Amino acid sequence: MSAMIDLGPHAAFILWAYGIAAGVLACLIGWIVADYRRQLRRLAQLEAAGITRRSSRIRARSKVTQA
Amino acid sequence: MQRFANPTKFMSLADAILPWMIALAASLFAVGLYLAFFVAPADYQQGETVRIMFIHVPSAWLAMMGYSLIALSSIGSLIWRHPLADVAAKAALPIGASFTLLALVTGALWGKPMWGAYWVWDARLTSVLILFLLYIGLIALWQAIEDPSRAGRVAAILAIVGFVNVPIIKFSVDWWNTLHQGASVIRLDGPSIHPSILIPLLVMTAAFTTLYFVLVLIAMKTEILRRRVSALQSARAGGAQASAVAAE
């Protein structure tokens, strides 16, 4: 096993490559998670306002019938 | 497969497997980065710059595999009208575009010290640039057409036509004289890379691939939610219009 001590004369290229990869992936993950949460929030707001999907209404109705 | 065609069933399945996939991706990245920086030796020709390969090759692989999956989903969408097919094709676009961008940028940063240039108009590099432009074009197409089913059909046709570029990328190094090196992992006579470098590369590829699928699953869930929100907003607008007509 060789320890990482010196990245040689081209260290800047290696560090830039890993830095940019980390940056791009962090932005991609952040954007995807934020978009997912935004859609969840919008759906919850609509449902709270009484606008529900047909399947939710059918489920709710069948629960009432069972009760 | 048809069992998971139902978006609600897909959402529950994705919720169940996502935590495991996230844990797997994190573990693979931890092991892969350790192997890449502390175990893999410098290459006898390329020196320490070989470490760029551990992010460049997985990104390039995902750029092509991602596009192939989009083309496959597009076929599913056009022929079988699979309810999740165009959701998958749309959700995978920005993720595939990001990995293609990474392949281009890390390739340029590897090319400068090895070839003396960040960019050359060589067949491999140019065909990957075309792939990136295809991704951008497909994203723009989805944004430009308001009706998702029409956007899905048009994007599916372009995605399938654009798939011709994938084998060109793969075989460009065999068909033309290029600065880019030939295949060194997937070869008929086996990999030509020493195991001390091949194993970290495979672990990093597994890490990138797992992350790719985690992101695609979340993006697909988001797209399903977006369509539900849009349907509810239309229902609300329709309801408001009906009330206005009744009031008149």
Side-chain angles (χ1 to χ4, degrees), chain A residues 22-44:
Chain A
V24 168
L25 291 181
C27 289
L28 181 68
I29 293 167
W31 173 69
I32 285 176
V33 171
D35 194 22
Y36 175 67
R37 289 188 178 157
R38 193 180 315 124
Q39 298 309 323
L40 269 183
R41 215 171 26 244
R42 288 172 70 189
L43 190 65

Side-chain angles (χ1 to χ4, degrees), chain B residues 147-163:
Chain B
D147 173 18
S149 63
R150 195 163 155 257
R153 277 197 302 276
V154 177
I157 294 167
L158 177 61
I160 293 167
V161 172
F163 180 72

Side-chain angles (χ1 to χ4, degrees), chain B residues 37-112:
Chain B
F37 278 100
F38 297 97
V39 177
D43 182 69
Y44 78 108
Q45 276 183 324
Q46 306 187 37
E48 299 287 343
T49 60
V50 75
R51 299 188 202 284
I52 297 176
M53 180 177 71
F54 302 130
I55 47 176
H56 172 73
V57 172
S59 302
W61 142 251
L62 286 174
M64 288 195 289
M65 188 209 68
Y67 195 88
S68 305
L69 289 182
I70 289 167
L72 204 65
S73 299
S74 301
I75 293 171
S77 169
L78 279 181
I79 300 175
W80 296 290
R81 304 264 172 199
H82 193 294
L84 287 175
D86 72 358
V87 166
K90 185 185 177 192
L93 282 172
I95 303 162
S98 302
F99 282 109
T100 313
L101 178 69
L102 273 187
L104 288 168
V105 173
T106 54
L109 286 164
W110 196 7
K112 180 65 178 168

Side-chain angles (χ1 to χ4, degrees), chain B residues 62-200:
Chain B
L62 286 174
M64 288 195 289
M65 188 209 68
Y67 195 88
S68 305
L69 289 182
I70 289 167
L72 204 65
S73 299
S74 301
I75 293 171
S77 169
L78 279 181
I79 300 175
W80 296 290
R81 304 264 172 199
H82 193 294
L84 287 175
D86 72 358
V87 166
K90 185 185 177 192
L93 282 172
I95 303 162
S98 302
F99 282 109
T100 313
L101 178 69
L102 273 187
L104 288 168
V105 173
T106 54
L109 286 164
W110 196 7
K112 180 65 178 168
M114 292 300 102
W115 303 336
Y118 285 108
W119 182 265
V120 282
W121 291 100
D122 138 301
R124 171 60 70 85
L125 276 69
T126 309
S127 53
V128 174
L129 178 64
I130 291 169
L131 182 71
F132 180 65
L133 296 176
L134 268 169
Y135 273 118
I136 299 299
L138 284 165
I139 292 170
L141 203 58
W142 271 102
Q143 299 298 321
I145 304 173
E146 212 171 306
D147 173 18
S149 63
R150 195 163 155 257
R153 277 197 302 276
V154 177
I157 294 167
L158 177 61
I160 293 167
V161 172
F163 180 72
V164 74
N165 190 42
V166 173
I168 293 176
I169 296 173
K170 169 77 184 130
F171 297 109
S172 56
V173 286
D174 304 320
W175 294 342
W176 294 286
N177 281 324
T178 63
L179 255 183
H180 196 284
Q181 68 181 70
S184 45
V185 180
I186 301 171
R187 292 156 49 107
L188 287 176
D189 53 349
S192 59
I193 305 177
H194 191 270
S196 60
I197 290 178
L198 180 65
I199 291 168

